[in-house]
Amino acid sequence: MKAVSYISLFVPAVLGGTIYLAGDSTMAIGGGGNGTMGWGQFVAPYTTWTVSNQAIAGRSARSFTREGRFTAIADEVQSGDWVIIEFGHNDGGSLTPTDDGRTDCSGTGDETCTTVYDGVNETVLTFPAYLENAANTFTALGANVLISSQTPDNPWETGTFVDDPVRFVAYAELAAETAGVAYVDHWAYVADIYDTLGADVVDAFYPIDHTHTSPAGALVVAEAFFKAVVCGGVALKGALNTTSFEGECL
Ligand SMILES: *[C@@H]1O[C@H](CO)[C@@H](O)[C@H](O)[C@H]1NC(C)=O
Ligand SMILES: *[C@@H]1O[C@H](CO)[C@@H](O)[C@H](O)[C@H]1NC(C)=O
Ligand SMILES: *[C@@H]1O[C@H](CO)[C@@H](O)[C@H](O)[C@H]1NC(C)=O
């Protein structure tokens, strides 16, 4: 009897909890459509934890927030779970009523902007503020949070390798620091692997445009993420089936 109850209590700890993924099309199931795929779909094969990929195409830190998608994760998340947050592809542009509700207020602190979206006045926060608010919500619930920088668009697009991180990369790092949560530079790890793979291989990962990957590309992008997690010593590495990835740490 004792052994049985011991096992039933112990098994959930061994299996781990849930890894929630919050992001855009580059992470989402179905990617950007037309046979592309987001890297979040390649997390499950590397872990015994449950993966809940709640990334959705077209979203920014702002629209993911306004649509209640962080709140939906907060409603489910359990102490000890992980929440991985990765945005940036849809956060730029000009703040106008026709921005699909995506553009953030410029700046990195507690600045606010006002706009009208969908006929409603909206107070818009900065990119780091949305991420910090989400991170604070999850950490208050006992969850572990990892903020990840966005992926690069195809750096071989021009035929020459160009690695020029957009501002949301540094903003993601700033948000993680401010919120006191883990950070990985996913951009840098993807760029590094793409540099090694070369133009022909990487171009083939982008069947429809320079942003959305094929399933094969998404797998490489996922492995770049895991390598960043392992190299960064993020505790999430304990949930992975391996800590051995090719190449040097950055
Ligand atoms: C980890 O999982 C991946 C994906 O299923 C697999 O390719 C790899 O061989 C596994 N690694 C180990 C060390 O089990
Ligand atoms: C938005 O706010 C402005 C300024 O306070 C106000 O004049 C306007 O009626 C509001 N619009 C909506 C749709 O609530
Ligand atoms: C995606 O597929 C649809 C339907 O075949 C097509 O109309 C559209 O142009 C494609 N989009 C891209 C970016 O290839």
Side-chain angles (χ1 to χ4, degrees), residues 45-46 241-242:
Y46 288 83
N241 74 336
T242 179

Side-chain angles (χ1 to χ4, degrees), residues 90-241:
N90 302 312
D91 287 81
S94 307
L95 188 59
T96 70
T98 55
D99 67 2
D100 289 328
R102 311 198 301 195
T103 302
D104 310 310
C105 189
S106 56
T108 58
D110 59 6
E111 303 93 322
T112 59
C113 300
T114 51
T115 191
V116 177
Y117 176 66
D118 208 10
V120 177
N121 278 335
E122 181 174 337
T123 300
V124 179
L125 311 183
T126 65
F127 178 82
Y130 284 117
L131 266 48
E132 287 157 32
N133 288 347
N136 291 338
T137 297
F138 299 132
T139 51
L141 293 167
N144 304 293
V145 177
L146 171 56
I147 293 178
S148 174
S149 64
Q150 70 166 80
T151 56
D153 289 336
N154 180 3
W156 285 106
E157 193 179 10
T158 62
T160 304
F161 184 80
V162 178
D163 180 18
D164 190 11
V166 298
R167 66 186 185 279
F168 298 107
V169 171
Y171 289 3
E173 183 171 18
L174 175 69
E177 270 170 23
T178 306
V181 299
Y183 169 73
V184 294
D185 192 351
H186 196 185
W187 175 298
Y189 277 84
V190 172
D192 182 58
I193 291 173
Y194 279 2
D195 192 9
T196 305
L197 291 175
D200 291 347
V201 171
V202 175
D203 285 346
F205 291 161
Y206 291 88
I208 62 167
D209 58 23
H210 65 188
T211 302
H212 300 102
T213 52
S214 63
L219 175 59
V220 170
V221 171
E223 288 190 342
F225 174 81
F226 302 139
K227 186 178 170 190
V229 164
V230 169
C231 288
V234 179
L236 177 65
K237 72 180 184 182
L240 301 179
N241 74 336

